[in-house]
Amino acid sequence: MSRTPVGEIRPSQLLWTYGPGALIDLPNLSVVTMGIDRWEKDRCQPIQEARLLANVRSVLGPQVEALRMPPVGDGDPVDPFSAAALIGVPVKPFPRWLRCVKCGLLSPYDAGLFRLRENRYRPELTRFVHEGCRGSNNDQRARDADAVPARFLMACRAGHLDDFAWDWFVHGGPSSCRATLRFFESGASLQTENLWVKCDGCGASKNMAQAFGQAGRDNLPACRGRHPHVDRFEDDCQEAPRAILLGATNSWFPVTLSALAIPQSGDPLSQIIADGWTFFEDIRSEAEVGLVVKTLKKTAQLPGIEQFTNERIWAAVENHRAGGSTVEQSDLKGPEWDALTAANPPTDYPHFMSKKVGVPKGFSSAISGVLLLERLREVNALLGFTRVESPEEGAGDEAAPRAPLGRSAPSWVPATQVHGEGIFIRFDSAILQTWADKAAVKAADERLRQGHRGWRHKRNLDPEEGYPGIRYVMLHTLAHMLIRELALECGYNAASIRERIYADVEDGNDQAGFLIYTAAADSDGTLGGLVELGKPENLGRLLRQALERAHICASDPLCSEHDPSKDQSLHGAACHACSFVSETSCERGNRHLDRSLVVPTLENPDAAFFETI
């Protein structure tokens, strides 16, 4: 396998944007990220988070041994061709079909008509060329012309991705014609009606508008079950392929799980041993402790371990082994809620540090507590991905089949960790229940339920599953309003602020609160700006501003009149002008929102939780 670099991306993007199976559209080249079985595992540093690992195992199987960060080179960045600098993730060109920008020649790159021209000193400029191209008018003077990836692909809901079936499409099915194809434009507009593909041999032609909609279902072949990131074809795919554009956002959706690193032990050393048990589980004597600790100090993988003697560490290892080291799969948010609402929240320096503050003046009837998280750590794991349709909330939902990360069941999964800060706000559950019993709130709840049922019914899903409840919708909407206000003052960009909503009322639970925290993957995320705004005098002002802005939306009256039961959508009075945030910030992809549940609106003044400010 060639080790030629072709570009650069940030490590965090290998989890959220360009993971296994995703397309990376470089300036002159398009490539697909290969499966994790082709990654250099030894270069992927492990991340310790037992609760998240247990939940990943419950989804992918017990063979998953670790969460690991994407590989990062440690060589001299000045020399991109040094052995260490070449450490990264393997990719291969995809789609195979290329188009000459001068003559429109359409052909696979491995057919011999195009040549890869590498750029040793600027890898991002590596490109394919059509040597000796004579242009569309067969010019006498031949020149090299760039060849760019064909912009059309085929994908299906089962996660398969394939080259567009150009020969099948232009000939209307299987054909013995093996002549070259040309791609050209027939008008000034780039609408699909003006984009044509033509066969040089038999003269057959067809415009690209016939590749979409009902015409596309008639003109495209059955799905071949192709997974280009693992070089595999799956038989008997029952999903109908559809044409998509290269770079389309629906070509790859990550399926992830995330968890906060919540201390599970009151003893700091015991917590460190539990967090890094994979480093200590094979130790059989105190003499071996020093070697392990020396390595951990060099790699800084377990901050705080250097504070303890080898004797104390060995005693903690023995104690942990005697007590058992297995963490069972459970609700990820349950332990977090317990820790955040504890009378004395636990501390695990430097991963979890908190401080209780007073409730903002004027909000004591609704808010029962505020906790400032001066340090927190979030770990995210990639389970797979979907195409065409985004995954439903929760890893077990079968809305869109999850495509694999590699050729076989993975023994590890890619993960990232973020150190940041946050504000946790707890609400009075009794007040929330009284509000939920109001007739106007029940009517709004029914409209949202009907929209949810219709939305799932259109996707052949169980219509009675997945609705989070009216309490969740209200808390979720308020969290969005507060995120929008915080982004204006805290020093972080809006996409770096995330949420975790705690609103579970099933099986005896009575959660009522949310956590807003920083999640900037490429920085430490602990500037202190968010915590500072969580102090009573600042938080009260921001809450009032958020509620005041939400009364009138720039899209009113259309926004406030939106009825999810009529258009089978997942949100009520909510839009980009008033309640939506960056999708990297929202745990539900801007679904299940309705500002009429938070403040009175023009259409529904009676269902608001905050009737007055």
Side-chain angles (χ1 to χ4, degrees), residues 47-122:
I47 297 176
Q48 309 303 322
E49 179 46 50
R51 284 198 309 121
L52 182 59
L53 179 59
N55 281 271
V56 170
R57 285 172 172 165
S58 71
V59 178
L60 299 182
Q63 80 284 346
V64 180
E65 299 175 351
L67 312 173
R68 294 181 177 272
M69 297 182 67
V72 178
D74 55 3
D76 183 0
V78 175
D79 182 6
F81 282 79
S82 68
L86 281 176
I87 299 302
V89 294
V91 297
K92 72 174 183 180
F94 193 87
R96 292 173 55 249
W97 286 74
L98 306 175
R99 174 181 64 87
C100 176
V101 298
K102 287 181 63 177
C103 68
L105 176 66
L106 195 64
S107 174
Y109 66 76
D110 51 4
L113 301 180
F114 301 114
R115 182 181 298 276
L116 181 66
R117 185 165 294 174
E118 300 177 7
N119 190 314
R120 176 178 177 82
Y121 299 101
R122 297 193 63 185

Side-chain angles (χ1 to χ4, degrees), residues 128-354:
F128 283 98
V129 296
H130 182 200
E131 295 181 327
C133 176
R134 296 185 178 277
S136 58
N137 297 320
N138 204 19
D139 297 334
Q140 295 298 316
R141 187 176 179 182
R143 297 179 180 176
D144 292 349
D146 286 341
V148 298
R151 308 303 295 183
F152 294 88
L153 303 167
M154 294 195 308
C156 79
R157 288 180 68 255
H160 300 128
L161 183 69
D162 206 347
D163 288 287
F164 190 82
W166 295 104
D167 280 309
W168 178 294
F169 177 71
V170 73
H171 293 112
S175 172
S176 58
C177 180
R178 293 294 179 265
T180 56
L181 305 179
R182 303 278 170 176
F183 190 91
F184 63 94
E185 304 162 8
S186 63
S189 161
L190 292 182
Q191 294 179 339
T192 52
E193 292 84 354
N194 296 328
L195 302 178
W196 293 78
V197 57
K198 181 178 180 180
C199 177
D200 286 342
C202 64
S205 64
K206 194 170 290 185
N207 70 59
M208 296 307 300
Q210 299 180 59
F212 296 88
Q214 182 58 50
R217 288 187 280 273
D218 297 335
N219 290 319
L220 295 178
C223 179
R224 298 193 300 172
R226 185 180 187 183
H227 284 308
H229 67 297
V230 294
D231 295 322
R232 187 174 68 192
F233 291 83
E234 294 179 342
D235 297 330
D236 302 324
C237 177
Q238 301 301 313
E239 295 287 345
R242 63 182 72 182
I244 64 171
L245 293 176
L246 180 63
T249 56
N250 66 343
S251 66
W252 192 84
F253 295 104
V255 179
T256 62
L257 278 180
S258 67
L260 296 182
I262 296 297
Q264 303 296 306
S265 170
D267 177 26
L269 178 56
S270 298
Q271 183 63 47
I272 292 175
I273 298 299
D275 290 341
W277 181 242
T278 54
F279 299 114
F280 299 102
E281 59 182 340
D282 294 329
I283 291 179
R284 290 295 177 263
S285 68
E286 183 179 336
E288 299 177 31
V289 171
L291 296 175
V292 173
V293 172
K294 184 177 180 180
T295 301
L296 292 175
K297 287 180 180 179
K298 286 183 178 180
T299 58
Q301 293 189 64
L302 278 181
I305 191 67
E306 68 280 355
Q307 303 175 14
F308 304 96
T309 64
N310 292 348
E311 182 181 1
R312 289 189 60 189
I313 294 174
W314 171 243
V317 169
E318 289 281 78
N319 184 61
H320 185 81
R321 184 177 287 122
S325 59
T326 302
V327 176
E328 299 295 335
Q329 182 270 337
S330 64
D331 171 32
L332 284 171
K333 288 185 177 180
E336 296 172 11
W337 172 260
D338 294 339
L340 294 170
T341 58
N344 295 301
T347 297
D348 177 23
Y349 179 84
H351 299 317
F352 191 89
M353 298 177 62
S354 62

Side-chain angles (χ1 to χ4, degrees), residues 399-526:
R402 187 178 63 249
L405 296 174
R407 294 184 66 89
S408 58
S411 61
W412 64 278
V413 296
T416 62
Q417 62 180 353
V418 178
H419 291 87
E421 57 180 321
I423 305 171
F424 173 71
I425 303 177
R426 183 180 184 180
F427 289 79
D428 189 316
S429 59
I431 299 297
L432 276 171
Q433 188 57 51
T434 300
W435 163 80
D437 290 336
K438 294 170 60 175
V441 176
K442 290 183 177 180
D445 186 24
E446 183 56 31
R447 289 192 294 271
L448 289 165
R449 285 182 182 274
Q450 290 181 17
H452 178 81
R453 293 189 191 103
W455 187 88
R456 290 180 65 87
H457 180 73
K458 288 190 298 184
R459 290 159 176 77
N460 298 319
L461 304 172
D462 185 347
E464 301 304 323
E465 294 291 331
Y467 181 64
I470 196 68
R471 177 183 294 192
Y472 182 97
V473 178
M474 193 283 290
L475 293 173
H476 189 203
T477 308
L478 180 59
H480 276 219
M481 294 176 181
L482 189 54
I483 286 174
R484 291 164 68 98
E485 289 297 322
L486 289 168
L488 299 176
E489 300 193 33
C490 70
Y492 298 100
N493 65 71
S496 296
I497 305 175
R498 297 189 65 184
E499 65 179 6
R500 291 181 81 83
I501 312 299
Y502 302 92
D504 186 8
V505 294
E506 302 293 334
D507 301 325
N509 292 319
D510 194 18
Q511 299 177 4
F514 56 74
L515 171 66
I516 296 177
Y517 62 102
T518 56
D522 297 310
S523 65
D524 208 25
T526 53

